[in-house]
Amino acid sequence: MVNDFSYIDENLRIIRERVGEAFGKYRKAGDSLRIMAVTKTVIPEAVNYAVSLGLDLLGENRVQEYLSKKDFYEKSAEVQFIGSLQTNKVKYIIDTVTMIQSVDSIRLAETISRLAVKNNKTIDILCEVNIGDEDSKGGISPCDTGDFIEQISQLDGILIRGLMTIPPPSDSDIFLGRMQELFNEVSEKKKSVVRMDTLSMGMTHDYADAIKYGSNIVRIGTGLFGARNYDIKK
Ligand SMILES: *Cc1c(COP(=O)(O)O)cnc(C)c1O
């Protein structure tokens, strides 16, 4: 049976319309903004369909799932890692992802650095910030973010490009605003050691707000591919 992915056309049309609206309202021409297709639980055929519609950036959460799917992905799409990452799994993804957005410990940064050097490459990273200081979430506390970046900035093989966050679901507007402030503050202070040009925030429920607060990458899963079926893949 051939799958019908026309729902993705319609979903993407709506996303592009809302992104365009928010961008026009809050941002200036030339600002960088990318739409990432978040692929967890989504079959590669659907992912490739989204790529055929012009989405060129994929976000992966789980190492095992990514490894089972990556050979089926359209090669033209860039893949970035956005999920929590154990140090012993870095070796499986280091050669095929262009950015790791979820760096939240010195140990993880050191591991990525070591493997990048071994692979003769420099990999872009974002520092994941726990902007709501929630116990349930990974990420660096906002008040420690500057120091964290300072500490990992000297490592070879990695280039710190900015910050990523998943704000608390309620009051996300407030936290997106705080993220923008933190991003500006850290970028200014650490100018000499890093290239802070990427703020990754905004998901299906808050991407328009995230654009308002300066996001450069909105990460959209369900809004694009529909509700996730956790039974298919873990
Ligand atoms: C799942 C996920 C997303 C996408 O979430 P949706 O609400 O489905 O758009 C974005 N970022 C991360 C880190 C995720 O794990």
Side-chain angles (χ1 to χ4, degrees):
M1 208 186 77
V2 178
N3 283 306
D4 177 10
F5 295 126
S6 55
Y7 62 93
I8 298 177
D9 286 289
E10 178 56 12
N11 288 343
L12 183 57
R13 191 188 61 72
I14 293 165
I15 291 165
R16 282 183 167 144
E17 196 175 291
R18 292 190 61 206
V19 164
E21 236 170 68
F23 191 91
K25 203 159 151 193
Y26 299 113
R27 307 286 287 275
K28 51 183 195 316
D31 269 9
S32 110
L33 174 62
R34 297 179 80 186
I35 299 172
M36 168 185 275
V38 175
T39 67
K40 55 182 183 258
T41 77
V42 178
I43 57 172
E45 290 79 3
V47 173
N48 289 341
Y49 187 80
V51 173
S52 78
L53 300 177
L55 287 175
D56 60 359
L57 179 59
L58 306 179
E60 296 293 321
N61 279 78
R62 304 184 180 113
V63 172
Q64 282 312 321
E65 182 183 338
Y66 171 53
L67 295 179
S68 74
K69 288 169 24 177
K70 73 180 172 72
D71 292 341
F72 301 98
Y73 283 168
E74 201 51 62
K75 294 290 167 287
S76 61
E78 177 184 346
V79 178
Q80 300 185 352
F81 198 80
I82 60 173
S84 75
L85 182 59
Q86 291 168 278
T87 52
N88 62 352
K89 301 263 173 74
V90 175
K91 59 178 179 288
Y92 300 118
I93 65 165
I94 190 89
D95 53 342
T96 55
V97 305
T98 56
M99 180 186 271
I100 297 175
Q101 295 202 358
S102 41
V103 177
D104 65 354
S105 75
I106 306 265
R107 220 166 73 89
L108 180 57
E110 284 172 348
T111 305
I112 296 168
S113 161
R114 184 168 47 77
L115 290 168
V117 168
K118 201 169 139 194
N119 278 265
N120 253 317
K121 70 186 273 182
T122 297
I123 187 157
D124 289 337
I125 65 165
L126 301 183
C127 164
E128 180 171 352
V129 177
N130 184 353
I131 192 65
D133 269 324
E134 295 168 282
D135 289 339
S136 59
K137 272 184 195 154
I140 302 289
S141 172
C143 58
D144 297 333
T145 300
D147 285 346
F148 177 70
I149 286 174
E150 183 74 43
Q151 286 183 67
I152 65 174
S153 62
Q154 300 309 323
L155 295 171
D156 293 327
I158 62 173
L159 181 60
I160 305 166
R161 297 287 300 270
L163 308 179
M164 179 272 227
T165 196
I166 307 171
S170 59
D171 297 322
S172 86
D173 196 72
I174 292 169
F175 290 105
L176 292 166
R178 283 195 197 157
M179 256 326 268
Q180 181 176 40
E181 280 168 29
L182 180 67
F183 180 76
N184 290 340
E185 190 188 302
V186 173
S187 304
E188 191 50 42
K189 263 201 217 140
K190 309 291 169 201
K191 237 183 345 211
S192 57
V193 287
V194 294
R195 182 159 103 221
M196 299 282 286
D197 59 7
T198 306
L199 178 55
S200 170
M201 60 186 190
M203 318 200 313
T204 295
H205 71 283
D206 63 356
Y207 65 86
D209 282 333
I211 291 168
K212 173 170 152 192
Y213 292 110
S215 174
N216 305 112
I217 301 179
V218 289
R219 310 180 308 262
I220 303 180
T222 50
L224 181 65
F225 294 115
R228 281 185 280 275
N229 184 347
Y230 281 99
D231 297 336
I232 307 179
K233 276 237 168 284
K234 260 265 150 74

